[in-house]
Amino acid sequence: MSEGSIRERLAALSRGELIGLVALLAVTLGGAGLWYVRSLPRPVEVTTAPSGGTASTPISASPSPEVVVVDVAGWVRRPGVYEFTEGARVIDAIDAAGGARPGALLQALNLAAPLADGTQILVPREGQEGVAPPPVTGGAVAGGLINVNTAAATELEELPGVGEVIAQAIVDYRTENGPFTTVDQLIDVSGIGDATLENIRDLVTV
């Protein structure tokens, strides 16, 4: 249809018909526009739920485990003082010191015994004939004698003529060379002479 014929048709329409035509055209365009707007994609808001689906509950801090300090001496690879947490056993102390050396008498110890703070684990070795296996801790034995293989330095200082230096020398000697096999072996400790040995001979044992 030509442009001229369209104008002729529009001119032939009455005023009311023109108004109706314009209204119909407006409604058609409005509906098409509304459909277009609704067909456009809409952004979707995504909300992340808290982990676990519930609010986290604060956890009360448990008390720190107690520290246990023991002296591992005797026939082990790395004698020394080691720290452990409460509940550790004698076997844990020996392992921390590098393990027992070949020939160690582990059967003389209770490997399952719990460690006590400030004590000594003394690992004896084979070939000590006639020597009773030393206890795990403590230096005093029956009769009030002090066991030089298990006594702490502070206990050794109670002996006549044995001060802090000599007491530590005794501890260092047995740590480096293993337990004493006889009381007379104390003469090999630096600072102990014949007079000192005679003064303590009847007060100590091995």
Side-chain angles (χ1 to χ4, degrees), residues 100-167:
R101 293 183 181 182
L105 289 174
L106 292 180
Q107 62 267 31
L109 304 173
N110 180 3
L111 301 180
L115 297 178
D117 185 54
T119 57
Q120 183 185 71
I121 306 300
L122 184 63
V123 180
R125 59 179 173 176
E126 297 177 354
Q128 299 177 6
E129 297 181 1
V131 179
V136 173
T137 60
V141 297
L145 300 180
I146 293 179
N147 190 321
V148 294
N149 283 326
T150 60
T154 53
E155 294 176 285
L156 295 171
E157 290 178 26
E158 299 176 3
L159 296 170
V162 177
E164 180 179 354
V165 175
I166 295 179

Side-chain angles (χ1 to χ4, degrees), residues 43-61:
V44 179
E45 182 178 358
V46 178
T47 303
T48 303
S51 177
T54 57
S56 59
T57 303
I59 301 175
S60 58

Side-chain angles (χ1 to χ4, degrees), residues 33-194:
L34 181 61
W35 174 85
Y36 175 76
V37 171
R38 290 184 176 181
S39 66
L40 293 175
R42 298 180 181 179
V44 179
E45 182 178 358
V46 178
T47 303
T48 303
S51 177
T54 57
S56 59
T57 303
I59 301 175
S60 58
S62 57
S64 300
E66 183 179 349
V67 175
V68 177
V69 181
V70 299
D71 177 19
V72 186
W75 211 236
V76 292
R77 299 184 186 279
R78 294 192 303 272
V81 177
Y82 294 87
E83 289 186 357
F84 301 89
T85 55
E86 187 178 15
R89 307 285 175 166
V90 170
I91 185 62
D92 299 322
I94 295 174
D95 289 342
R101 293 183 181 182
L105 289 174
L106 292 180
Q107 62 267 31
L109 304 173
N110 180 3
L111 301 180
L115 297 178
D117 185 54
T119 57
Q120 183 185 71
I121 306 300
L122 184 63
V123 180
R125 59 179 173 176
E126 297 177 354
Q128 299 177 6
E129 297 181 1
V131 179
V136 173
T137 60
V141 297
L145 300 180
I146 293 179
N147 190 321
V148 294
N149 283 326
T150 60
T154 53
E155 294 176 285
L156 295 171
E157 290 178 26
E158 299 176 3
L159 296 170
V162 177
E164 180 179 354
V165 175
I166 295 179
Q168 187 59 48
I170 294 174
V171 174
D172 293 340
Y173 182 91
R174 75 191 186 200
T175 299
E176 296 172 1
N177 301 280
F180 294 97
T181 57
T182 65
V183 172
D184 290 336
Q185 193 179 353
L186 287 169
I187 197 68
D188 296 331
V189 177
S190 176
I192 295 183
D194 293 333

Side-chain angles (χ1 to χ4, degrees), residues 8-34:
E8 290 177 358
R9 286 178 177 274
L10 291 175
L13 295 175
S14 65
R15 181 181 180 85
E17 291 175 334
L18 286 175
I19 294 175
L21 181 61
V22 171
L24 178 61
L25 181 61
V27 171
T28 302
L29 293 176
L34 181 61

